[in-house]
Each structure stands twice: as C-alpha cells, then as structure tokens.
Amino acid sequence: GAVVSQHPSWVICKSGTSVKIECRSLDFQATTMFWYRQFPKQSLMLMATSNEGSKATYEQGVEKDKFLINHASLTLSTLTVTSAHPEDSSFYICSARGAGGGDEKLFFGSGTQLSVL
Amino acid sequence: AQSVAQPEDQVNVAEGNPLTVKCTYSVSGNPYLFWYVQYPNRGLQFLLKYITGDNLVKGSYGFEAEFNKSQTSFHLKKPSALVSDSALYFCAVRGENSGNTPLVFGKGTRLSVIA
C-alpha cells in the first residue's frame, strides 16, 4: 500500500526556537495533505489542509503565522512550528491523499511527538 | 457540527474472545463512517467504511462494524481477537452533504489483546 513518511518521529526543542516537520508521500502524488494535532486522550484535531502549489487552508483557531505549512511539491509538505512554546507540545500527524482518492485512500504518517522545554 | 465519541480509552480482551470497540457519532444528514487502526510507530491505516447499503460492513484483518442509525453508532467488532490486533483504533465520520471536508476523528481507543 501507499506509504507516507513523516520525519522526525520525535523532537525536543527549547522555547522560542522553530521546528520543521516533513511529510512525504513515497509512492504516489499527494495532491492534498492534511495536518492534525493530538493531545493525550483527545481527538485528532485538524489544523490545516494544503493543496500542492497553493496556500494552506487553516481551521478556525489555528494561527497560520505560527504553524507555517508549505506544500511545494506533490510529494512533500512541511509544517514549521515557529517560536515554539511549551503549550505547542503535542503529537502532530500528517496525512496525504492522491488525486481522485476517497477517504479510504487517505494515508497517514506515523506522527511526530514535539516536546518544547 | 460533526463529532465522534469513543467512550473507552482502553479495551482489554483475552485472545480468542470477541472484541468490541465502541463509536457514536453526530452529523447532519446521512453519515459516512470509517475505522482506522494505528500500530506502534506506524501511520493510521484504513480498516473499513460505511457509506450506504448493508449495515454490517466487513473490512481488513477480519474486522467488521455495524451501522446503527437509531443509536447513531458504528461499533467495531471481531469474533476472535488476536494478540496482533493490539493497537490504537480511531473512528471517523463525515456528513453526506459536507462536500469534500476532511474527516472528523474520535480520540482513539487502545485495544490490548492478552495471550
């Protein structure tokens, strides 16, 4: 099946620094990618939807200047957490969908655990 | 607004016994319902979906789920659990009339199958 690679799987950073998370579709072209955030024992919360070559669409309450999303190619999307603070510590998951794909064709990365000290 | 509830954080079952992971939902109109599974250090994987038709849906790895409209539920079941079924399970929903909006996920239920 299709594979989505997410890197890094975990990262620890100091408060005030920026962290970049990569999401790559390894064997298909991902026209749409989604970024989710999950707090312990809570639902996956959609942060933003990105389509290749266009600006990401952010969900209400998500700061676009803090969570920068770039989807410059059909196989790569990045999420940059800028000026990270301890409250940004969370589990971040990306997912990717190819052209014409339904929800059963939604493939997920393995997630990134971010800890901000 | 769409929402999904998975009332159990953890489900423990002995190997060979039947298992049920519960899910209830709330959407406008008819629901599109999904189950995904996440094994350790892996991304979420699609298990099964209900769009229309037979209320009992069969999916991967011997799992099935039953759509119950009156109870707004879509519980995941398997007749005989395996240790290898131990994983994190997510229920997700989208309304029929919600266009191409992304899925709404539950918080996940961790299944532990004990040998």
Side-chain angles (χ1 to χ4, degrees):
Chain A
V3 177
V4 172
S5 173
Q6 186 173 341
H7 178 81
S9 55
W10 59 271
V11 58
I12 302 172
C13 69
K14 292 182 179 180
S15 185
T17 61
S18 295
V19 174
K20 179 183 284 188
I21 302 170
E22 293 188 350
C23 183
R24 293 180 183 273
S25 57
L26 298 184
D27 55 359
F28 69 103
Q29 293 185 327
T31 52
T32 305
M33 285 190 172
F34 303 92
W35 286 94
Y36 294 86
R37 180 176 182 179
Q38 186 182 30
F39 293 102
K41 297 186 178 182
Q42 295 190 27
S43 303
L44 286 172
M45 183 191 76
L46 180 67
M47 299 175 67
T49 302
S50 73
N51 293 296
E52 186 266 339
S54 61
K55 290 184 178 180
T57 301
Y58 289 80
E59 296 299 303
Q60 191 173 10
V62 178
E63 299 175 60
K64 62 180 182 181
D65 294 330
K66 180 166 187 62
F67 298 99
L68 301 178
I69 292 172
N70 184 286
H71 191 168
S73 78
L74 284 171
T75 59
L76 174 65
S77 177
T78 60
L79 167 66
T80 301
V81 183
T82 62
S83 186
H85 288 92
E87 59 265 29
D88 299 325
S89 298
S90 187
F91 190 63
Y92 294 86
I93 303 176
C94 72
S95 66
R97 184 165 64 199
D103 295 299
E104 69 272 26
K105 298 296 184 184
L106 192 62
F107 300 100
F108 288 79
S110 55
T112 298
Q113 182 65 53
L114 170 64
S115 296
V116 185
L117 304 178
Chain B
Q2 302 167 158
S3 66
V4 174
Q6 291 181 247
E8 303 153 316
D9 291 337
Q10 174 95 30
V11 170
N12 298 319
V13 63
E15 187 174 31
N17 283 2
L19 69 87
T20 299
V21 182
K22 295 179 180 177
C23 172
T24 58
Y25 65 90
S26 175
V27 294
S28 299
N30 293 320
Y32 292 172
L33 294 154
F34 302 81
W35 276 100
Y36 289 84
V37 59
Q38 185 178 29
Y39 297 103
N41 301 315
R42 302 280 296 277
L44 276 70
Q45 298 175 36
F46 171 78
L47 262 184
L48 52 80
K49 69 175 180 180
Y50 170 84
I51 302 296
T52 187
D54 194 346
N55 288 346
L56 185 64
V57 178
K58 294 186 183 297
S60 307
Y61 311 120
F63 283 92
E64 58 189 29
E66 185 166 14
F67 169 60
N68 187 315
K69 188 172 184 178
S70 63
Q71 296 185 6
T72 61
S73 67
F74 190 56
H75 301 330
L76 182 70
K77 300 181 180 183
K78 187 172 182 180
S80 178
L82 300 172
V83 172
S84 57
D85 293 329
S86 299
L88 188 59
Y89 291 81
F90 291 92
C91 182
V93 69
R94 183 156 59 82
E96 177 185 31
N97 299 318
S98 61
N100 198 30
T101 57
L103 294 174
V104 173
F105 286 85
K107 64 181 180 179
T109 298
R110 187 164 299 281
L111 173 67
S112 291
V113 181
I114 305 161

